[in-house]
Amino acid sequence: GAGVSQTPSNKVTEKGKYVELRCDPISGHTALYWYRQSLGQGPEFLIYFQGTGAADDSGLPNDRFFAVRPEGSVSTLKIQRTERGDSAVYLCASSLGTDRTAFFGQGTRLTVV
Amino acid sequence: EDQVTQSPEALRLQEGESSSLNCSYTVSGLRGLFWYRQDPGKGPEFLFTLYSAGEEKEKERLKATLTKKESFLHITAPKPEDSATYLCAVLSGATNKLIFGTGTLLAVQP
């Protein structure tokens, strides 16, 4: 596609439920990033992939968070046992390489009630 | 520790009133400094990449500059449509992470 696509754009879930957030990067981009952004804050790094492997997952807050990119293209961020504190906008970005400009999607606004 | 600090947190300008936004950084091995614009409810939109001290980039009313410690985003004769949050980020050579500041919320009044 022309840009990074994220689905859904909005997700409301109940505390304790499992959610999956999808990111479809720009075609040909090998690096893929997930960020989380709270209101009034800059994006906070979660994890990045180079190809299919998670090159750095040090930003994932705890083991309820997990991300995959099985074929080196689409990525899914998975959150188990959601908590109200997980409410935020989850941003995905992709780039041609880790030293190249990252382009962002529109984000998924997650609300845990 | 890699860190990015942006100032001011918020800035209100009259249309046509030029100003500058600041981004101060400490990073292990700067591989690039990036400026993004973010509108409410949208993802960050790429503006500029700067790689070395002394480099400058321009786009319409915006000009970004870089020194060894900070970057400035100069806005010349702004218009109301320039109102947005401007984010600065650095790419760390040590960690390969893009580290963001908290942004400057710019409001340009007609």
Side-chain angles (χ1 to χ4, degrees):
Chain A
V4 178
S5 176
Q6 292 188 246
T7 54
S9 54
N10 281 284
K11 176 72 177 178
V12 180
T13 191
E14 293 181 347
K15 179 176 177 296
K17 298 289 188 182
Y18 167 84
V19 296
E20 290 189 352
L21 312 179
R22 176 188 168 107
C23 173
D24 201 339
I26 294 171
S27 178
H29 281 196
T30 58
L32 185 146
Y33 307 81
W34 283 100
Y35 284 80
R36 179 168 71 175
Q37 188 174 27
S38 300
L39 193 62
Q41 300 297 311
E44 174 193 17
F45 171 81
L46 295 177
I47 183 171
Y48 91 87
F49 292 85
Q50 182 61 44
T52 60
D56 187 334
D57 64 358
S58 61
L60 295 177
N62 51 59
D63 61 6
R64 295 185 298 104
F65 289 74
F66 189 72
V68 295
R69 194 186 185 199
E71 297 178 355
S73 180
V74 171
S75 176
T76 304
L77 179 65
K78 308 180 181 192
I79 311 174
Q80 299 177 320
R81 305 183 303 279
T82 51
E83 300 178 356
R84 293 194 179 89
D86 299 334
S87 297
V89 175
Y90 289 81
L91 295 165
C92 176
S94 71
S95 68
L96 283 170
T98 54
D99 59 345
R100 306 292 290 274
T101 299
F103 295 91
F104 283 80
Q106 297 296 294
T108 293
R109 180 175 298 279
L110 175 67
T111 304
V112 182
V113 297
Chain B
E1 182 182 349
D2 299 333
Q3 192 167 0
V4 178
T5 302
Q6 291 188 247
S7 62
E9 290 185 3
L11 180 62
R12 182 168 294 182
L13 299 174
Q14 291 296 124
E15 183 172 4
E17 180 187 0
S18 302
S19 188
S20 296
L21 313 183
N22 177 264
C23 171
S24 298
Y25 64 90
T26 55
V27 66
S28 303
L30 180 71
R31 298 181 68 183
L33 184 141
F34 303 82
W35 282 98
Y36 290 86
R37 169 191 170 128
Q38 188 172 30
D39 292 298
K42 302 291 183 66
E45 175 189 346
F46 170 72
L47 292 173
F48 302 109
T49 306
L50 302 167
Y51 290 105
S52 57
E55 191 175 357
E56 297 184 354
K57 293 273 180 74
E58 282 191 69
K59 179 181 178 181
E60 296 181 353
R61 295 177 293 282
L62 301 177
K63 183 169 82 170
T65 62
L66 179 64
T67 72
K68 289 186 178 180
K69 294 183 179 180
E70 58 191 350
S71 176
F72 291 94
L73 184 66
H74 307 278
I75 304 177
T76 302
K79 298 182 178 181
E81 53 261 42
D82 295 322
S83 298
T85 295
Y86 290 85
L87 294 165
C88 171
V90 295
L91 181 60
S92 166
T95 65
N96 273 333
K97 291 179 188 175
L98 197 59
I99 309 298
F100 280 85
T102 54
T104 293
L105 177 60
L106 175 67
V108 181
Q109 297 183 316

